[in-house]
Amino acid sequence: MREINETKPEELLIFERSRPGRIGYSLPECDVPAVPKEELVPPEMLRREGLSFPEVYEVDVVRHYTALSRRNFGVDNGFYPLGSCTMKYNPKINEDVARYPGFAKIHPYQPEESLQGALELMYRLQRDLAGITGMDEVTLQPAAGAHGEWTGLMMIRAYHESRGEKRTKVIVPDSSHGTNPASAAVAGFETVTVPSNQRGMVDLDALRAAVGEDTAALMLTNPNTLGLFEQQIVQIAEIVHAAGGLLYYDGANSNAIMGITRPGDMGFDVVHLNLHKTMSTPHGGGGPGAGPVGVKKRLAPFLPEPTVVMDESGRYAIRGRRPEGAAGFASTVGTGKPSVSAGSAGSVGSIGSPGSAGSVGSDGPCVSPTSTASIGSPSPAPEGGLPGTQGSASIGRVKAYYGNFGILVRAYAYIRSLGPEGLRQVSENAVLNANYMMKRLAPYYEIPYSDQSCKHEFVMSGSGLVQYGIRTLDVAKRLLDFGYHPPTIYFPLNVEECIMIEPTETESKETLDGFIDCMIAIAKEAETNPGLLLNAPYTTPVTRLDETGAARKPVLNCACG
């Protein structure tokens, strides 16, 4: 188990390092005629007082920001067990590929003839993601998971409106991610919450009571946020579809099911994936991310534009409304369109067969691999053109240009590096790691729904420590002293004193054991020396903060004297 370093270094703000007259960098002399600022800037926009920048030497600036960077926490310097965040290691080969000049130094306004490699990658990625999820078509535009949710919901809204139906409500389970009801609200829907049953899954009777003529969709994560597979997913889909609603799959927990089962085979109509989670691209610090959305064929006409397509000659093009001023753009390219078969050549669809859904075992529907063939080359589909690219039904552009292209390159490199069998192994190892941790920690923390195995993540409760005056927050603070980033706490909301842990597949048994040993030690400290936890952390630049006060009355400026 890790030793605690009790030394806490002093850290001065850059303003506190400032001394009058010190210069860190001198600008070269101006080599063009000077123009008075009054001639360039309106008087009302001129600053009347000088900027109060810190005055420091260059070496002080470098050391200050280098020290701050070392206090950042990421997957490259430690275990990151945030539940429902899939903080897996980001393979560096993905970074190398994304930096190839042909990817890193292109511009979206270039002629399509000079972008064929990039367009081919995007097209192939669309098909691979369609195969992985069991969808028919995919858009790569959304920049994040919540953005993907909103995009999917706007397509659902457009679909219902095209049928002359006014459906105003989106159903979410009580264990849903907070972005689900938020995205529904932004898309113009009301939300209805259905409770979980005693096994932590959607209560079917409550769902039947909630659906009606005003139901637009049910948003669901499977496995759910408790880390449990919704074993009655087939019945859930039937209930929602019978009411005329659609089923939306929040792909936040897709790391548990790749190559094992697919949302499209479970009955979902719309899917978003977090490439910055499941497909190992970097995330955190506000981005960049990517949240592609896949849809079944009936929703394809409402996909955002533009879309990358391939014609019969093998040429790739951008179909739909391209940015004004872009060179070499044609609104139509032959009659080709991407294949609407999720299992077609050139997709990871060979992992599963769309027709094999519905076999329900102890852990719910399972799609057995029908082929382990390597991912092939893309092929054009039947004639007729991609639905919705004439501008009549598409919800329009949802992101500048064509999405976060650099992130798409990284995700494509990850998928192609692993192949169908590798993706399945990713999910199997993620599930194995989570169950191993849950079993080892069960004697020390309460495990809700302990009569069943978890998937890629699991929840514990710190409620057993409350008798010693210790809460989950205290456990999380104490973990900082051992050098670990705490897991997700107090979410999902339907577990008291919740601790949610997701180890991912990229961590070794030694790493898992080190974290587990610290969690066990903290549980014992809570019983024998609770004051130690109540005042933790001891080794961080700042100790216990007034988090409520910081949220309600934030101080966002420095008043250093």
Side-chain angles (χ1 to χ4, degrees):
M1 189 175 70
R2 293 187 183 182
E3 296 293 330
I4 296 176
N5 179 6
E6 296 288 355
T7 304
K8 180 165 58 178
E10 181 181 13
E11 184 64 45
L12 298 177
L13 300 176
I14 191 67
F15 286 93
E16 294 174 318
R17 296 176 180 270
S18 178
R19 297 294 183 273
R22 291 183 178 177
I23 298 174
Y25 183 79
S26 298
L27 296 174
E29 292 186 8
C30 185
D31 58 356
V32 297
V35 179
K37 60 181 179 295
E38 290 80 6
E39 296 181 14
L40 301 173
V41 181
E44 66 273 12
M45 300 184 69
L46 283 172
R47 180 181 291 275
R48 291 177 173 78
E49 298 178 359
L51 293 172
S52 57
F53 285 139
E55 300 176 65
V56 290
Y57 295 134
E58 179 179 329
V59 63
D60 296 320
V61 175
V62 171
R63 287 175 178 170
H64 174 72
Y65 286 104
T66 299
L68 288 181
S69 71
R70 288 174 176 169
R71 298 195 183 283
N72 286 338
F73 196 93
V75 292
D76 283 355
N77 63 336
F79 181 43
Y80 216 137
L82 277 175
S84 218
C85 293
T86 315
M87 304 297 286
K88 65 171 70 177
Y89 175 71
N90 312 139
K92 296 303 173 277
I93 189 174
N94 301 351
E95 301 300 316
D96 293 340
V97 172
R99 284 167 173 76
Y100 287 172
F103 293 139
K105 295 185 178 181
I106 58 176
H107 193 282
Y109 281 177
Q110 288 179 218
E112 287 176 356
E113 289 73 16
S114 67
L115 295 172
Q116 286 298 295
L119 295 179
E120 179 180 356
L121 183 147
M122 295 173 69
Y123 179 83
R124 284 175 175 265
L125 181 59
Q126 289 173 180
R127 303 316 312 145
D128 287 351
L129 296 180
I132 291 169
T133 59
M135 294 290 112
D136 294 322
E137 302 291 352
V138 170
T139 175
L140 303 176
Q141 282 190 36
H147 192 194
E149 290 177 8
W150 175 82
T151 300
L153 287 166
M154 291 301 290
M155 285 189 279
I156 289 173
R157 177 176 173 177
Y159 168 80
H160 289 309
E161 289 177 351
S162 73
R163 295 161 57 87
E165 298 176 353
K166 185 173 178 58
R167 294 178 176 265
T168 59
K169 294 181 180 179
V170 169
I171 301 172
V172 297
D174 59 1
S175 63
S176 70
H177 291 104
T179 54
N180 290 177
S183 298
V186 173
F189 292 105
E190 303 174 39
T191 57
V192 177
T193 303
V194 293
S196 301
N197 59 25
Q198 293 181 343
R199 303 199 70 222
M201 302 175 191
V202 172
D203 187 312
L204 294 188
D205 290 336
L207 178 61
R208 291 188 183 95
V211 299
E213 294 182 354
D214 56 358
T215 299
L218 167 68
M219 300 184 76
L220 189 64
T221 309
N222 197 21
N224 64 29
T225 312
L226 297 167
L228 306 175
F229 193 91
E230 294 281 354
Q231 298 176 14
Q232 297 173 304
I233 185 60
V234 173
Q235 294 94 313
I236 290 172
E238 290 173 350
I239 292 170
V240 175
H241 288 152
L246 299 176
L247 208 56
Y248 182 98
Y249 184 84
D250 178 342
N253 294 343
S254 300
N255 209 49
I257 65 168
M258 290 189 294
I260 301 170
T261 186
R262 307 186 302 175
D265 302 325
M266 300 178 204
F268 286 91
D269 304 288
V270 185
V271 173
H272 90 261
L273 287 176
N274 298 293
L275 299 189
H276 46 285
K277 296 172 67 171
T278 313
M279 303 306 173
S280 84
T281 70
H283 72 307
V293 176
V295 297
K296 286 294 190 180
K297 188 175 181 179
R298 59 176 166 167
L299 287 161
F302 308 99
L303 282 166
E305 295 178 342
T307 302
V308 179
V309 298
M310 183 182 72
D311 65 16
E312 293 87 343
S313 69
R315 178 180 178 272
Y316 299 91
I318 303 164
R319 177 177 292 175
R321 290 188 291 270
R322 198 177 181 194
E324 185 177 350
F329 174 62
S331 60
T332 59
V333 181
T335 57
K337 70 169 183 175
S339 170
V340 296
S341 171
S344 63
S347 77
V348 193
S350 57
I351 290 175
S353 168
S356 58
S359 58
V360 182
S362 60
D363 287 329
C366 177
V367 179
S368 300
T370 57
S371 170
T372 56
S374 61
I375 304 170
S377 300
S379 57
E383 298 183 359
L386 180 66
T389 55
Q390 304 306 313
S392 60
S394 169
I395 65 170
R397 181 186 298 277
V398 299
K399 173 74 170 65
Y401 304 111
Y402 320 113
N404 285 331
F405 179 68
I407 297 301
L408 302 179
V409 173
R410 290 169 173 85
Y412 182 78
Y414 179 78
I415 293 170
R416 290 280 161 161
S417 296
L418 289 168
E421 292 181 348
L423 291 175
R424 182 184 178 108
Q425 187 175 358
V426 162
S427 292
E428 289 175 342
N429 289 345
V431 172
L432 177 64
N433 283 353
N435 278 277
Y436 172 73
M437 294 187 73
M438 182 177 70
K439 293 298 183 182
R440 277 207 60 194
L441 288 168
Y444 305 93
Y445 296 88
E446 294 185 9
I447 307 293
Y449 319 110
S450 58
D451 61 331
Q452 51 195 313
S453 61
C454 66
K455 296 308 173 198
H456 66 304
E457 66 186 2
F458 65 99
V459 294
M460 307 188 303
S461 173
S463 57
L465 306 180
V466 173
Q467 59 183 315
Y468 309 118
I470 298 301
R471 301 188 62 211
T472 288
L473 179 64
D474 303 313
V475 174
K477 295 294 186 183
R478 183 59 173 154
L479 265 174
L480 296 173
D481 288 329
F482 293 93
Y484 286 109
H485 194 290
T488 301
I489 61 173
Y490 298 116
F491 179 79
L493 302 177
N494 55 345
V495 173
E496 184 180 0
E497 296 293 327
C498 186
I499 303 171
M500 181 164 55
I501 299 173
E502 181 181 0
T504 80
E505 76 285 356
T506 57
E507 303 298 337
S508 67
K509 181 176 180 295
E510 292 76 17
T511 298
L512 302 182
D513 284 335
F515 178 82
I516 291 167
D517 290 343
C518 287
M519 289 292 291
I520 293 173
I522 292 171
K524 292 178 178 178
E525 287 177 347
E527 182 177 358
T528 60
N529 189 4
L532 191 63
L533 274 67
L534 292 172
N535 294 306
Y538 300 94
T539 62
T540 51
V542 293
T543 55
R544 190 68 69 101
L545 301 175
D546 179 1
E547 297 185 3
T548 302
R552 294 181 177 177
K553 299 178 181 179
V555 178
L556 303 178
N557 65 326
C558 175
C560 304

